[in-house]
Amino acid sequence: MKIANHYLLLFLILILGLKLEAQTKFTKEQTLETMLKATKFMVEEVSTNGGYVWYYMPDFSRQWGEMEAYKTMIWMQGSGTIGMGNLFLDAYHATNNTYYLKAAQKAAAAVIWGQSNEGGWNYVVDFAGDRSLKQWYNTIGKNGWRLEEFQHYYGNSTFDDDVTSDATRFLLRMYLEELDPKYKPALDKAIEFVLKSQYPNGGWPQRYPLMYNYEKHGFPDYSSFYTFNDDVIWENINLLIQCYLVLGEERFLDPIYRGMNFYKISQHSSGAWGQQLNMKMEVASARTYEPAAFLPGATSENTFLLMKFYELTGDRTFLEGVPKAINWLEKVTLPADKVDAHRTHPTFVEIKSNKPIYVHRKGSNVKYGRYYVDYDDKNLLSHYGGKRGIPIQKLKDEYKRVSQLTSDEASKDSPLKPAQFKNEGTPQKYYNLNRFSYQFKVNETKITEIINALDNQNRWLTTKAYISNPYIGDGVKTELTNDYSTTRVGDETDTSPFRNKTNQKYISTGNYIKNMKFLINYLNATNQ
């Protein structure tokens, strides 16, 4: 009996081993099949008129972009419609399957539908029209405590979060895919929008057309300010460089150079930058938790860009502001007892004193709650960190490297130099200058995991999602409590997003894009 059980155990181990081995093996055909099944589900079951938000309940009862969205809505930024459209083109290039090209064309059609009359885009597009969108702003958007950009219906377009620049870049890519003239009118309109919205001194506002009439709109507005936040100015420069590189139109050079020069003229004499400046070129406040202050984060980013501009132009004047920016960053480094792990600097620095200042909040909801600023680094906001890590040594190393280069050496590979147009296929060929890219190493275990994770409805479900409280009306609690001072959201009336903490699974465009990128990288590696 014991011997029989022994052989039975060996037999089961052998069978289990063979099964596990089978699960770790995959073929190129299985990869292609998985990609197509997952994509057909997203295109044919999930999309709205070719567009997407970020997350969906499996039964489609609720859906979210950065906030909860109506079923008639699609989202532009992040892993929404533009991210999906670019992924479809990547899949088309890796497989030569025209289904992906058609999916990208559907996404492009949604993007074009959502283009404003002036030529730009808002974060969100509502196929039900302005009447529906205004209702959304007056209910869900209005009650997102920390998402103040959604608390008002602006009726114009935004450069925040690369919305308009990424939409324009996607249309440029679609046009160049087959030089299809049907994309040219929307592309030209978008490019003209970017050019028209630039201020004469080279900066850009956060939103356009401009809104100056505070009384008419009923709230203080910062969206006309010169804006560095979320790379508004840099991403517009980067887009125009990309347009110049592939379209070859010299009219782009002047706005490109004016945009780069704005970084020089906007640097404060101390060496620092704020993330917004008003029309007097003074550091200004924006959202109520973004006081008028210098920002080590913005200063670090702009300093790196000054060095990048030297490599683009060969103009050494871009390097002149680097040492004083580094000196200022060293000066405002937090003392050792205030450093939080790798967070070496305060997010905000008081303009006159160079003292660190910190933002806090009281209350339960957007209607009765408020943000305030002091010098206390305790009970900081969780949705907008009070301290940041600043790579001062990397700045120093990069400055040492680029400052040793002659002008010709620094700019030898610049897309702004005519020599770059001598290569075959240039222009009229897409070059990816986007700062966001997925570079995944080919890992067979990961590929197998992704293939096996596709369920019987061809979905990649995930518990990793940002969801929100459903809209139930405006806040009613008036007490200025500290209960929500360090939480991401307030009470049950706050419609701001928070991370799912349950086992509930969701359909996620970000998860789909990530998994597809792994599989695409595998195909590209095998095709080499």
Side-chain angles (χ1 to χ4, degrees), residues 329-371:
L329 288 169
E330 290 183 318
K331 184 184 299 184
V332 298
T333 301
L334 290 169
D337 62 335
K338 295 292 184 179
V339 171
D340 181 10
H342 67 282
R343 299 177 182 88
T344 55
H345 288 69
T347 297
F348 300 108
V349 173
E350 197 170 49
I351 295 172
K352 292 183 179 180
S353 69
N354 268 342
K355 292 181 180 179
I357 55 177
Y358 300 98
V359 183
H360 314 271
R361 72 177 181 184
K362 288 181 176 290
S364 302
N365 53 72
V366 64
K367 186 170 184 178
Y368 297 106
R370 68 178 182 88
Y371 289 92

Side-chain angles (χ1 to χ4, degrees), residues 74 186 263 276 332 334 371 394 489:
I74 60 173
Y263 283 76
Q276 298 87 211
V332 298
L334 290 169
Y371 289 92
K394 287 185 179 179
V489 298

Side-chain angles (χ1 to χ4, degrees), residues 343-466:
R343 299 177 182 88
T344 55
H345 288 69
T347 297
F348 300 108
V349 173
E350 197 170 49
I351 295 172
K352 292 183 179 180
S353 69
N354 268 342
K355 292 181 180 179
I357 55 177
Y358 300 98
V359 183
H360 314 271
R361 72 177 181 184
K362 288 181 176 290
S364 302
N365 53 72
V366 64
K367 186 170 184 178
Y368 297 106
R370 68 178 182 88
Y371 289 92
Y372 64 98
V373 176
D374 62 20
Y375 300 106
D376 186 359
D377 69 342
K378 297 181 179 60
N379 295 322
L380 300 179
L381 303 177
S382 63
H383 69 79
Y384 203 96
K387 298 179 182 181
R388 303 291 169 92
I390 303 297
I392 292 180
Q393 189 57 50
K394 287 185 179 179
L395 284 166
K396 290 181 176 180
D397 293 343
E398 181 67 0
Y399 178 63
K400 180 179 180 180
R401 182 187 72 82
V402 299
S403 62
Q404 292 174 349
L405 300 174
T406 66
S407 294
D408 289 339
E409 289 172 337
S411 60
K412 66 181 178 66
D413 296 322
S414 170
L416 300 179
K417 298 297 181 179
Q420 297 304 311
F421 297 104
K422 294 179 180 179
N423 296 326
E424 183 179 352
T426 304
Q428 306 298 312
K429 177 183 177 182
Y430 183 76
Y431 294 86
N432 185 12
L433 301 184
N434 195 351
R435 62 184 172 140
F436 295 118
S437 62
Y438 291 88
Q439 297 295 331
F440 297 127
K441 293 181 180 180
V442 176
N443 181 308
E444 292 192 0
T445 301
K446 183 65 177 179
I447 300 299
T448 302
E449 177 185 316
I450 290 171
I451 291 174
N452 290 335
L454 196 71
D455 71 9
N456 59 8
Q457 296 184 51
N458 299 324
R459 307 172 302 180
W460 279 311
L461 298 180
T462 180
T463 59
K464 296 178 180 178
Y466 277 94

Side-chain angles (χ1 to χ4, degrees), residues 184-326:
K184 198 66 163 57
L187 173 61
D188 288 342
K189 187 177 179 181
I191 291 173
E192 289 304 317
F193 177 83
V194 174
L195 295 174
K196 183 179 180 180
S197 60
Q198 186 181 29
Y199 285 110
N201 64 5
W204 270 275
Q206 187 198 59
R207 301 188 70 102
Y208 191 83
L210 303 175
M211 297 177 64
Y212 288 124
N213 191 337
Y214 294 178
E215 293 182 3
K216 176 181 177 182
H217 299 289
F219 56 90
D221 180 56
Y222 56 87
S223 66
S224 62
F225 293 167
Y226 306 111
T227 302
F228 292 114
N229 189 27
D230 285 331
D231 287 329
V232 164
I233 296 175
W234 161 238
E235 277 303 323
N236 283 337
I237 296 170
N238 192 33
L239 169 66
L240 293 178
I241 291 174
Q242 195 165 30
C243 291
Y244 175 68
L245 177 63
V246 299
L247 300 177
E249 298 180 27
E250 292 192 341
R251 67 191 179 111
F252 296 130
L253 287 176
D254 176 66
I256 289 169
Y257 278 92
R258 282 191 289 119
M260 291 189 291
N261 282 326
F262 184 79
Y263 283 76
K264 292 191 292 186
I265 66 174
S266 60
Q267 186 178 21
H268 190 265
S269 58
S270 65
W273 280 272
Q275 65 180 3
Q276 298 87 211
L277 290 86
N278 62 24
M279 297 300 99
K280 296 179 181 180
M281 295 292 283
E282 300 167 333
V283 175
S285 61
R287 290 173 290 190
T288 55
Y289 47 84
E290 294 172 324
F294 293 137
L295 276 79
T299 299
S300 174
E301 292 167 7
N302 289 359
T303 305
F304 276 119
L305 283 173
L306 287 181
M307 293 184 277
K308 184 179 185 69
F309 297 157
Y310 173 52
E311 293 186 297
L312 287 170
T313 65
D315 181 354
R316 293 194 72 87
T317 63
F318 283 110
L319 299 181
E320 292 175 358
V322 174
K324 63 180 180 179
I326 293 175

Side-chain angles (χ1 to χ4, degrees), residues 482-498:
N482 288 319
D483 289 351
Y484 303 101
S485 61
T486 62
T487 60
R488 289 190 65 84
V489 298
D491 64 21
E492 63 276 6
T493 67
D494 186 357
T495 55
S496 301
F498 55 87

Side-chain angles (χ1 to χ4, degrees), residues 53 63 68-73 126 132-133 135-136 139-140:
V53 293
Q63 60 187 45
E68 184 169 8
Y70 293 163
K71 294 183 185 300
T72 53
M73 287 179 168
D126 193 337
S132 174
L133 186 58
Q135 177 66 18
W136 182 88
T139 53
I140 294 173

Side-chain angles (χ1 to χ4, degrees), residues 440-443 446-447 450 513-523:
F440 297 127
K441 293 181 180 180
V442 176
N443 181 308
K446 183 65 177 179
I447 300 299
I450 290 171
I513 290 172
K514 182 180 71 173
N515 287 344
M516 286 288 287
K517 281 291 184 179
F518 272 110
L519 301 183
I520 288 170
N521 285 357
Y522 161 69
L523 290 179

